[in-house]
Amino acid sequence: MARFRLLPRSTRWRVAVFAALAAALVLGLGSYWFVNALQSGLDTNASTRASDKVDTLVALLNSGVAPADVPQRYPKGGGYLISREAAGCPIDGKQEPPGDQPVRVHGPDCVVVEPFGLDGQIHRTAWTKDRRYTVVAAESLDALGLETVATARQILWGGVPAAALLVGAVAWFAVRRSLRAVEAIRAEVDGIRARDLGRRVPVPGSGDEITELAVTMNEMLARLDRSVQRQSQFTADASHELRTPLASMRTQLEVQLAHPDRLDWRRSVENAVLDVSRMETLTGDLLLLSKLDADQPAAATRIALADLVTGHVAARLPRDGVEVRTEIHAEPVVQGHARRLERVLRNLADNAERHAGSRVTITLTEVDGHAVLAVLDDGPGIPPEHRERVFDRFVRLDDDRAREDDGGSGLGLAIAAEIARTHGGTLRVAESASGACLELRLPLA
């Protein structure tokens, strides 16, 4: 069964309906208040005149003036009644007479000045000081004011719905115009595939939220484009790095099978084990990088970097001709993953020892709320034009590639930089008088 929808699916119609309803509500309440204010003003004005009249009459009666001797000339529109408390006072006249207001006296205890007793009059009652006479003053509402209120009520009764419909129509056209840019963005995004992530959505020049949406979409497409290119390059580089040990193993095995009596089987197996170890290390590095790229959370604890440095140096196997020194000037504590931070330290130390002439210095300090770990070697250093490039994946400088040992896979510094990023820190090549200095900054816990 189809679900009943109170509102249409179209955004244009929904906005138009809501705008019309909101306008009808606001204008209706405003019109109701306006008409009531006009009516209240008329009532207040008539009530004030009646109160003034009754106060004047009571003052005259209190001064000793007889009811029949009270002056009868008052503005047209109202009359009054004066009667003794116990006397009846019938009212005969119901029509407003022309000219002066006549006096009708019904005995010595009752005076009626017409017009009195008409429909729609405002009455005010008071008593004389001795409670002998009751005075009732009447005032009619202003005729012009009543006509104004009636006219306003008629105009607003038809004008409010018309104005609400007009607001809804304006909202419909305004949203339709705005959604044209959204439709253009949607159509462009719908046509983008993985092979053409270089395409961008049109950015309208309105400078409103639609413009911000288009800019955000283009930034997202740019990030996706960079990510896909990076993944493609990463896959190609990984395939190239894995193909080398695989080709070496295949060659050794084929030669061994072809000439079993000419080769040393033990040496061939040892070489194959080295190639397998290299592939194992490379696949482990690739798996770690994939986790870091996906920002997979790792258990974080408080880590004393001083203990991490001293423990790593103590457990490190010495390298021929290279001395590792430590200079600990502070004992900073950071929040992070112990094994990953240890991996950063190991990669930096391995890189420094690979390029050092005779000495590697590891320095630990605190600067501006950050723990600063610097690894300095006395080797040839890193040229300024390569100081950003060394953190790219599978990047090995020419002198690395020319070494007898293969210089590593080119992932050590890339992994260290990614681990630093996931810990909210940075890894950079710092200025040094000699050799290369890699500086790790991590926020204190």
Side-chain angles (χ1 to χ4, degrees), residues 50-290:
S51 296
D52 293 342
K53 183 182 292 186
V54 78
D55 292 341
T56 302
L57 293 171
V58 170
L60 289 174
L61 295 174
N62 287 334
S63 67
V65 178
D69 297 332
V70 174
Q72 288 88 39
R73 293 185 178 273
Y74 284 93
K76 294 177 63 177
Y80 61 86
L81 177 147
I82 302 174
S83 69
R84 191 183 292 274
E85 185 70 22
C89 194
I91 301 174
D92 298 331
K94 297 297 182 181
Q95 302 297 325
E96 184 176 354
D100 296 337
Q101 301 176 11
V103 177
R104 293 193 179 186
V105 180
H106 300 273
D109 297 326
C110 182
V111 174
V112 178
V113 175
E114 295 187 353
F116 187 91
L118 301 179
D119 293 337
Q121 286 184 331
I122 300 295
H123 297 83
R124 290 294 178 266
T125 304
W127 292 267
T128 56
K129 182 169 55 176
D130 55 2
R131 311 287 295 185
R132 183 179 180 184
Y133 292 103
T134 299
V135 181
V136 181
E139 285 291 336
S140 299
L141 299 179
D142 183 68
L144 181 60
L146 289 174
E147 184 179 353
T148 302
V149 171
T151 303
R153 184 178 287 111
Q154 291 177 357
I155 293 175
L156 294 175
W157 183 258
V160 168
L165 291 177
L166 178 62
V167 170
V170 171
W172 188 88
F173 282 105
V175 174
R176 179 187 179 188
R177 181 179 180 85
S178 298
L179 290 181
R180 288 177 181 173
V182 176
E183 176 60 25
I185 295 174
R186 187 206 63 78
E188 185 66 22
V189 172
D190 185 61
I192 294 177
R193 298 294 182 266
R195 62 179 179 275
D196 52 3
L197 288 176
R199 292 170 58 180
R200 298 294 181 264
V201 301
V203 179
S206 56
D208 55 5
E209 290 81 358
I210 305 299
T211 301
E212 295 179 0
L213 172 64
V215 172
T216 303
M217 290 291 295
N218 285 336
E219 292 175 352
M220 181 194 69
L221 289 172
R223 290 194 297 269
L224 288 175
D225 190 16
R226 290 193 299 268
S227 177
V228 170
Q229 292 180 2
R230 186 176 182 181
Q231 291 295 332
S232 299
Q233 184 64 37
F234 181 75
T235 302
D237 291 337
S239 300
H240 175 75
E241 293 293 332
L242 288 172
R243 184 166 52 184
T244 300
L246 287 174
S248 175
M249 290 176 58
R250 179 176 179 176
T251 300
Q252 294 182 58
L253 293 175
E254 289 178 346
V255 171
Q256 191 70 50
L257 290 174
H259 306 284
D261 54 342
R262 299 184 182 180
L263 295 179
D264 185 359
W265 279 88
R266 184 179 182 82
R267 180 64 178 272
S268 297
V269 171
E270 290 176 351
N271 291 336
V273 170
L274 292 177
D275 290 334
V276 171
S277 298
R278 180 181 175 185
M279 286 191 296
E280 183 181 10
T281 301
L282 182 57
T283 53
D285 291 345
L286 294 176
L287 179 60
L288 177 58
L289 277 174
S290 66

Side-chain angles (χ1 to χ4, degrees), residues 8 25 58 160 234 340-341 434:
L25 178 63
V58 170
V160 168
F234 181 75
R340 290 186 178 180
L341 291 180
S434 62

